Amino acid sequence: FRLFPFQVIEQCHAYDPRIRPWYVAATSGPKDVILIIDVSSSMLNYDRLTVAQDAAITVIETLTTTDFVTVVVFNETAKQLLIPGQTDGSLLTASRVNKDALSESVSNINASGLTNFEAAFNLAFDILGSTGENSSNCHTAILFLTDGHPNKGKTSQDYFECLVKERSQQAVIFTYTLGAVRAETAAITKGIACASNGIYAHVDDGGNLREQLSQYYDYFASLRSAGHDDVTWVEPYLDYAGAGQLVTASKAV
């Protein structure tokens, strides 16, 4: 890309257009996104919780007002992060105000307890079943992040694959494991993704989880037709290079 007028950037490759709102809106189109974040005690190891929080906030920040979003956190139980005025079980329009409030909630989560995949996915599917008009009525993505093996609730790979096929409501599930995980954990999380025609990825401690977690929109970009001519507008956002607030019209080519 070209930047005019010229700006001095101190760090090479610090700017990634793939995680800017104008790029995501044009390439992936309207979507519903549910982030599921493991907050069991093992996430305190190697600063994984902070890494997960930063990555989740990046995903939230890429969304636009045509998108809907919520966050589920889980340890031995699961709960939805609600902002003031939000109805339990609903998705939020990804407006500036809602994104700021949801990002603040994500930044305040703490880790403790065991790991219950069953509770996390059942809550996410319950939310999908009650969205009503609070939906893009287009693509649906579930982004699931964990660093541990399920040790509460159901734990078998067969159970989760059946659960996804029965309750996912055509959502595409992207699963991510973080750090040194057991082979059984990788098999379960990969099986969950495959059962929904999604994608599994592993990120080592110190790896770029933010980039991995935000690339789900590349999947949806691949589904858009070559003749898609819509121009997508995004609400004001802060320019990376310091030009202040911008409004962008973008189109995938």
Side-chain angles (χ1 to χ4, degrees), residues 201-217:
H202 175 73
V203 180
D204 291 325
D205 287 317
N208 194 335
L209 176 63
R210 178 184 297 180
E211 180 177 348
Q212 287 286 349
L213 200 60
S214 60
Q215 285 184 351
Y216 72 94
Y217 46 74

mmCIF file with all atom_site columns, all heavy atoms in Angstrom, residues 201-217:
data_model
loop_
_atom_site.group_PDB
_atom_site.id
_atom_site.type_symbol
_atom_site.label_atom_id
_atom_site.label_alt_id
_atom_site.label_comp_id
_atom_site.label_asym_id
_atom_site.label_entity_id
_atom_site.label_seq_id
_atom_site.pdbx_PDB_ins_code
_atom_site.Cartn_x
_atom_site.Cartn_y
_atom_site.Cartn_z
_atom_site.occupancy
_atom_site.B_iso_or_equiv
_atom_site.pdbx_formal_charge
_atom_site.auth_seq_id
_atom_site.auth_comp_id
_atom_site.auth_asym_id
_atom_site.auth_atom_id
_atom_site.pdbx_PDB_model_num
ATOM 1   N N   . ALA A 1 201 ? -6.035  -24.048 14.841 1.00 0.00 ? 201 ALA A N   1
ATOM 2   C CA  . ALA A 1 201 ? -4.651  -23.580 14.814 1.00 0.00 ? 201 ALA A CA  1
ATOM 3   C C   . ALA A 1 201 ? -4.069  -23.661 16.213 1.00 0.00 ? 201 ALA A C   1
ATOM 4   O O   . ALA A 1 201 ? -4.785  -23.456 17.211 1.00 0.00 ? 201 ALA A O   1
ATOM 5   C CB  . ALA A 1 201 ? -4.566  -22.152 14.292 1.00 0.00 ? 201 ALA A CB  1
ATOM 6   N N   . HIS A 1 202 ? -2.794  -23.984 16.292 1.00 0.00 ? 202 HIS A N   1
ATOM 7   C CA  . HIS A 1 202 ? -2.080  -23.989 17.573 1.00 0.00 ? 202 HIS A CA  1
ATOM 8   C C   . HIS A 1 202 ? -1.098  -22.830 17.592 1.00 0.00 ? 202 HIS A C   1
ATOM 9   O O   . HIS A 1 202 ? -0.431  -22.543 16.589 1.00 0.00 ? 202 HIS A O   1
ATOM 10  C CB  . HIS A 1 202 ? -1.328  -25.297 17.788 1.00 0.00 ? 202 HIS A CB  1
ATOM 11  C CG  . HIS A 1 202 ? -0.500  -25.284 19.041 1.00 0.00 ? 202 HIS A CG  1
ATOM 12  N ND1 . HIS A 1 202 ? -1.073  -25.367 20.283 1.00 0.00 ? 202 HIS A ND1 1
ATOM 13  C CD2 . HIS A 1 202 ? 0.842   -25.140 19.222 1.00 0.00 ? 202 HIS A CD2 1
ATOM 14  C CE1 . HIS A 1 202 ? -0.113  -25.302 21.196 1.00 0.00 ? 202 HIS A CE1 1
ATOM 15  N NE2 . HIS A 1 202 ? 1.054   -25.164 20.578 1.00 0.00 ? 202 HIS A NE2 1
ATOM 16  N N   . VAL A 1 203 ? -1.008  -22.164 18.745 1.00 0.00 ? 203 VAL A N   1
ATOM 17  C CA  . VAL A 1 203 ? -0.084  -21.046 18.920 1.00 0.00 ? 203 VAL A CA  1
ATOM 18  C C   . VAL A 1 203 ? 0.800   -21.339 20.124 1.00 0.00 ? 203 VAL A C   1
ATOM 19  O O   . VAL A 1 203 ? 0.300   -21.520 21.242 1.00 0.00 ? 203 VAL A O   1
ATOM 20  C CB  . VAL A 1 203 ? -0.843  -19.724 19.133 1.00 0.00 ? 203 VAL A CB  1
ATOM 21  C CG1 . VAL A 1 203 ? 0.141   -18.570 19.302 1.00 0.00 ? 203 VAL A CG1 1
ATOM 22  C CG2 . VAL A 1 203 ? -1.792  -19.450 17.973 1.00 0.00 ? 203 VAL A CG2 1
ATOM 23  N N   . ASP A 1 204 ? 2.084   -21.410 19.913 1.00 0.00 ? 204 ASP A N   1
ATOM 24  C CA  . ASP A 1 204 ? 3.018   -21.633 21.014 1.00 0.00 ? 204 ASP A CA  1
ATOM 25  C C   . ASP A 1 204 ? 3.075   -20.407 21.916 1.00 0.00 ? 204 ASP A C   1
ATOM 26  O O   . ASP A 1 204 ? 2.760   -19.291 21.498 1.00 0.00 ? 204 ASP A O   1
ATOM 27  C CB  . ASP A 1 204 ? 4.424   -21.924 20.474 1.00 0.00 ? 204 ASP A CB  1
ATOM 28  C CG  . ASP A 1 204 ? 4.514   -23.261 19.767 1.00 0.00 ? 204 ASP A CG  1
ATOM 29  O OD1 . ASP A 1 204 ? 3.828   -24.206 20.202 1.00 0.00 ? 204 ASP A OD1 1
ATOM 30  O OD2 . ASP A 1 204 ? 5.257   -23.349 18.763 1.00 0.00 ? 204 ASP A OD2 1
ATOM 31  N N   . ASP A 1 205 ? 3.495   -20.616 23.168 1.00 0.00 ? 205 ASP A N   1
ATOM 32  C CA  . ASP A 1 205 ? 3.723   -19.477 24.047 1.00 0.00 ? 205 ASP A CA  1
ATOM 33  C C   . ASP A 1 205 ? 4.739   -18.543 23.389 1.00 0.00 ? 205 ASP A C   1
ATOM 34  O O   . ASP A 1 205 ? 5.793   -18.976 22.915 1.00 0.00 ? 205 ASP A O   1
ATOM 35  C CB  . ASP A 1 205 ? 4.259   -19.947 25.401 1.00 0.00 ? 205 ASP A CB  1
ATOM 36  C CG  . ASP A 1 205 ? 3.187   -20.627 26.239 1.00 0.00 ? 205 ASP A CG  1
ATOM 37  O OD1 . ASP A 1 205 ? 2.052   -20.123 26.282 1.00 0.00 ? 205 ASP A OD1 1
ATOM 38  O OD2 . ASP A 1 205 ? 3.494   -21.681 26.839 1.00 0.00 ? 205 ASP A OD2 1
ATOM 39  N N   . GLY A 1 206 ? 4.394   -17.267 23.348 1.00 0.00 ? 206 GLY A N   1
ATOM 40  C CA  . GLY A 1 206 ? 5.250   -16.295 22.672 1.00 0.00 ? 206 GLY A CA  1
ATOM 41  C C   . GLY A 1 206 ? 4.911   -16.104 21.214 1.00 0.00 ? 206 GLY A C   1
ATOM 42  O O   . GLY A 1 206 ? 5.470   -15.221 20.547 1.00 0.00 ? 206 GLY A O   1
ATOM 43  N N   . GLY A 1 207 ? 3.995   -16.934 20.675 1.00 0.00 ? 207 GLY A N   1
ATOM 44  C CA  . GLY A 1 207 ? 3.584   -16.795 19.280 1.00 0.00 ? 207 GLY A CA  1
ATOM 45  C C   . GLY A 1 207 ? 2.581   -15.664 19.107 1.00 0.00 ? 207 GLY A C   1
ATOM 46  O O   . GLY A 1 207 ? 2.148   -15.029 20.075 1.00 0.00 ? 207 GLY A O   1
ATOM 47  N N   . ASN A 1 208 ? 2.184   -15.433 17.865 1.00 0.00 ? 208 ASN A N   1
ATOM 48  C CA  . ASN A 1 208 ? 1.303   -14.309 17.546 1.00 0.00 ? 208 ASN A CA  1
ATOM 49  C C   . ASN A 1 208 ? -0.155  -14.771 17.550 1.00 0.00 ? 208 ASN A C   1
ATOM 50  O O   . ASN A 1 208 ? -0.735  -15.048 16.505 1.00 0.00 ? 208 ASN A O   1
ATOM 51  C CB  . ASN A 1 208 ? 1.674   -13.706 16.190 1.00 0.00 ? 208 ASN A CB  1
ATOM 52  C CG  . ASN A 1 208 ? 1.027   -12.351 15.984 1.00 0.00 ? 208 ASN A CG  1
ATOM 53  O OD1 . ASN A 1 208 ? -0.003  -12.041 16.567 1.00 0.00 ? 208 ASN A OD1 1
ATOM 54  N ND2 . ASN A 1 208 ? 1.641   -11.525 15.148 1.00 0.00 ? 208 ASN A ND2 1
ATOM 55  N N   . LEU A 1 209 ? -0.744  -14.845 18.733 1.00 0.00 ? 209 LEU A N   1
ATOM 56  C CA  . LEU A 1 209 ? -2.142  -15.243 18.847 1.00 0.00 ? 209 LEU A CA  1
ATOM 57  C C   . LEU A 1 209 ? -3.056  -14.206 18.211 1.00 0.00 ? 209 LEU A C   1
ATOM 58  O O   . LEU A 1 209 ? -4.064  -14.545 17.599 1.00 0.00 ? 209 LEU A O   1
ATOM 59  C CB  . LEU A 1 209 ? -2.505  -15.436 20.315 1.00 0.00 ? 209 LEU A CB  1
ATOM 60  C CG  . LEU A 1 209 ? -3.971  -15.752 20.597 1.00 0.00 ? 209 LEU A CG  1
ATOM 61  C CD1 . LEU A 1 209 ? -4.385  -17.071 19.968 1.00 0.00 ? 209 LEU A CD1 1
ATOM 62  C CD2 . LEU A 1 209 ? -4.239  -15.767 22.096 1.00 0.00 ? 209 LEU A CD2 1
ATOM 63  N N   . ARG A 1 210 ? -2.714  -12.940 18.367 1.00 0.00 ? 210 ARG A N   1
ATOM 64  C CA  . ARG A 1 210 ? -3.553  -11.876 17.810 1.00 0.00 ? 210 ARG A CA  1
ATOM 65  C C   . ARG A 1 210 ? -3.754  -12.071 16.317 1.00 0.00 ? 210 ARG A C   1
ATOM 66  O O   . ARG A 1 210 ? -4.877  -11.970 15.814 1.00 0.00 ? 210 ARG A O   1
ATOM 67  C CB  . ARG A 1 210 ? -2.918  -10.516 18.089 1.00 0.00 ? 210 ARG A CB  1
ATOM 68  C CG  . ARG A 1 210 ? -3.690  -9.350  17.500 1.00 0.00 ? 210 ARG A CG  1
ATOM 69  C CD  . ARG A 1 210 ? -2.963  -8.047  17.733 1.00 0.00 ? 210 ARG A CD  1
ATOM 70  N NE  . ARG A 1 210 ? -2.835  -7.755  19.161 1.00 0.00 ? 210 ARG A NE  1
ATOM 71  C CZ  . ARG A 1 210 ? -2.231  -6.661  19.616 1.00 0.00 ? 210 ARG A CZ  1
ATOM 72  N NH1 . ARG A 1 210 ? -1.701  -5.796  18.783 1.00 0.00 ? 210 ARG A NH1 1
ATOM 73  N NH2 . ARG A 1 210 ? -2.159  -6.431  20.915 1.00 0.00 ? 210 ARG A NH2 1
ATOM 74  N N   . GLU A 1 211 ? -2.690  -12.366 15.598 1.00 0.00 ? 211 GLU A N   1
ATOM 75  C CA  . GLU A 1 211 ? -2.800  -12.560 14.147 1.00 0.00 ? 211 GLU A CA  1
ATOM 76  C C   . GLU A 1 211 ? -3.614  -13.801 13.816 1.00 0.00 ? 211 GLU A C   1
ATOM 77  O O   . GLU A 1 211 ? -4.482  -13.784 12.949 1.00 0.00 ? 211 GLU A O   1
ATOM 78  C CB  . GLU A 1 211 ? -1.412  -12.658 13.523 1.00 0.00 ? 211 GLU A CB  1
ATOM 79  C CG  . GLU A 1 211 ? -1.441  -12.865 12.017 1.00 0.00 ? 211 GLU A CG  1
ATOM 80  C CD  . GLU A 1 211 ? -0.053  -12.892 11.406 1.00 0.00 ? 211 GLU A CD  1
ATOM 81  O OE1 . GLU A 1 211 ? 0.911   -12.526 12.100 1.00 0.00 ? 211 GLU A OE1 1
ATOM 82  O OE2 . GLU A 1 211 ? 0.063   -13.293 10.243 1.00 0.00 ? 211 GLU A OE2 1
ATOM 83  N N   . GLN A 1 212 ? -3.372  -14.895 14.538 1.00 0.00 ? 212 GLN A N   1
ATOM 84  C CA  . GLN A 1 212 ? -4.104  -16.135 14.281 1.00 0.00 ? 212 GLN A CA  1
ATOM 85  C C   . GLN A 1 212 ? -5.598  -15.964 14.549 1.00 0.00 ? 212 GLN A C   1
ATOM 86  O O   . GLN A 1 212 ? -6.439  -16.389 13.764 1.00 0.00 ? 212 GLN A O   1
ATOM 87  C CB  . GLN A 1 212 ? -3.552  -17.263 15.154 1.00 0.00 ? 212 GLN A CB  1
ATOM 88  C CG  . GLN A 1 212 ? -2.201  -17.782 14.734 1.00 0.00 ? 212 GLN A CG  1
ATOM 89  C CD  . GLN A 1 212 ? -2.274  -18.645 13.484 1.00 0.00 ? 212 GLN A CD  1
ATOM 90  O OE1 . GLN A 1 212 ? -3.342  -19.028 13.029 1.00 0.00 ? 212 GLN A OE1 1
ATOM 91  N NE2 . GLN A 1 212 ? -1.122  -18.958 12.915 1.00 0.00 ? 212 GLN A NE2 1
ATOM 92  N N   . LEU A 1 213 ? -5.920  -15.319 15.655 1.00 0.00 ? 213 LEU A N   1
ATOM 93  C CA  . LEU A 1 213 ? -7.312  -15.205 16.071 1.00 0.00 ? 213 LEU A CA  1
ATOM 94  C C   . LEU A 1 213 ? -8.108  -14.303 15.145 1.00 0.00 ? 213 LEU A C   1
ATOM 95  O O   . LEU A 1 213 ? -9.305  -14.510 14.946 1.00 0.00 ? 213 LEU A O   1
ATOM 96  C CB  . LEU A 1 213 ? -7.374  -14.675 17.501 1.00 0.00 ? 213 LEU A CB  1
ATOM 97  C CG  . LEU A 1 213 ? -8.656  -14.920 18.301 1.00 0.00 ? 213 LEU A CG  1
ATOM 98  C CD1 . LEU A 1 213 ? -8.908  -16.408 18.440 1.00 0.00 ? 213 LEU A CD1 1
ATOM 99  C CD2 . LEU A 1 213 ? -8.568  -14.263 19.664 1.00 0.00 ? 213 LEU A CD2 1
ATOM 100 N N   . SER A 1 214 ? -7.469  -13.317 14.569 1.00 0.00 ? 214 SER A N   1
ATOM 101 C CA  . SER A 1 214 ? -8.188  -12.360 13.729 1.00 0.00 ? 214 SER A CA  1
ATOM 102 C C   . SER A 1 214 ? -8.262  -12.777 12.270 1.00 0.00 ? 214 SER A C   1
ATOM 103 O O   . SER A 1 214 ? -8.922  -12.112 11.466 1.00 0.00 ? 214 SER A O   1
ATOM 104 C CB  . SER A 1 214 ? -7.534  -10.976 13.836 1.00 0.00 ? 214 SER A CB  1
ATOM 105 O OG  . SER A 1 214 ? -6.193  -11.019 13.403 1.00 0.00 ? 214 SER A OG  1
ATOM 106 N N   . GLN A 1 215 ? -7.643  -13.882 11.907 1.00 0.00 ? 215 GLN A N   1
ATOM 107 C CA  . GLN A 1 215 ? -7.665  -14.287 10.509 1.00 0.00 ? 215 GLN A CA  1
ATOM 108 C C   . GLN A 1 215 ? -8.900  -15.106 10.131 1.00 0.00 ? 215 GLN A C   1
ATOM 109 O O   . GLN A 1 215 ? -9.014  -15.559 8.996  1.00 0.00 ? 215 GLN A O   1
ATOM 110 C CB  . GLN A 1 215 ? -6.395  -15.089 10.177 1.00 0.00 ? 215 GLN A CB  1
ATOM 111 C CG  . GLN A 1 215 ? -5.167  -14.194 10.048 1.00 0.00 ? 215 GLN A CG  1
ATOM 112 C CD  . GLN A 1 215 ? -3.926  -14.965 9.630  1.00 0.00 ? 215 GLN A CD  1
ATOM 113 O OE1 . GLN A 1 215 ? -3.927  -16.185 9.599  1.00 0.00 ? 215 GLN A OE1 1
ATOM 114 N NE2 . GLN A 1 215 ? -2.865  -14.243 9.312  1.00 0.00 ? 215 GLN A NE2 1
ATOM 115 N N   . TYR A 1 216 ? -9.848  -15.252 11.069 1.00 0.00 ? 216 TYR A N   1
ATOM 116 C CA  . TYR A 1 216 ? -11.077 -15.969 10.720 1.00 0.00 ? 216 TYR A CA  1
ATOM 117 C C   . TYR A 1 216 ? -11.795 -15.303 9.555  1.00 0.00 ? 216 TYR A C   1
ATOM 118 O O   . TYR A 1 216 ? -12.480 -15.950 8.774  1.00 0.00 ? 216 TYR A O   1
ATOM 119 C CB  . TYR A 1 216 ? -12.016 -16.027 11.928 1.00 0.00 ? 216 TYR A CB  1
ATOM 120 C CG  . TYR A 1 216 ? -12.650 -14.704 12.260 1.00 0.00 ? 216 TYR A CG  1
ATOM 121 C CD1 . TYR A 1 216 ? -13.901 -14.377 11.760 1.00 0.00 ? 216 TYR A CD1 1
ATOM 122 C CD2 . TYR A 1 216 ? -11.984 -13.768 13.046 1.00 0.00 ? 216 TYR A CD2 1
ATOM 123 C CE1 . TYR A 1 216 ? -14.484 -13.153 12.034 1.00 0.00 ? 216 TYR A CE1 1
ATOM 124 C CE2 . TYR A 1 216 ? -12.547 -12.554 13.329 1.00 0.00 ? 216 TYR A CE2 1
ATOM 125 C CZ  . TYR A 1 216 ? -13.795 -12.247 12.818 1.00 0.00 ? 216 TYR A CZ  1
ATOM 126 O OH  . TYR A 1 216 ? -14.345 -11.024 13.092 1.00 0.00 ? 216 TYR A OH  1
ATOM 127 N N   . TYR A 1 217 ? -11.633 -13.989 9.423  1.00 0.00 ? 217 TYR A N   1
ATOM 128 C CA  . TYR A 1 217 ? -12.347 -13.295 8.344  1.00 0.00 ? 217 TYR A CA  1
ATOM 129 C C   . TYR A 1 217 ? -11.800 -13.643 6.969  1.00 0.00 ? 217 TYR A C   1
ATOM 130 O O   . TYR A 1 217 ? -12.488 -13.459 5.969  1.00 0.00 ? 217 TYR A O   1
ATOM 131 C CB  . TYR A 1 217 ? -12.343 -11.773 8.553  1.00 0.00 ? 217 TYR A CB  1
ATOM 132 C CG  . TYR A 1 217 ? -11.008 -11.185 8.919  1.00 0.00 ? 217 TYR A CG  1
ATOM 133 C CD1 . TYR A 1 217 ? -9.992  -11.052 7.982  1.00 0.00 ? 217 TYR A CD1 1
ATOM 134 C CD2 . TYR A 1 217 ? -10.770 -10.747 10.218 1.00 0.00 ? 217 TYR A CD2 1
ATOM 135 C CE1 . TYR A 1 217 ? -8.778  -10.503 8.321  1.00 0.00 ? 217 TYR A CE1 1
ATOM 136 C CE2 . TYR A 1 217 ? -9.546  -10.213 10.563 1.00 0.00 ? 217 TYR A CE2 1
ATOM 137 C CZ  . TYR A 1 217 ? -8.555  -10.079 9.617  1.00 0.00 ? 217 TYR A CZ  1
ATOM 138 O OH  . TYR A 1 217 ? -7.341  -9.554  9.952  1.00 0.00 ? 217 TYR A OH  1
#
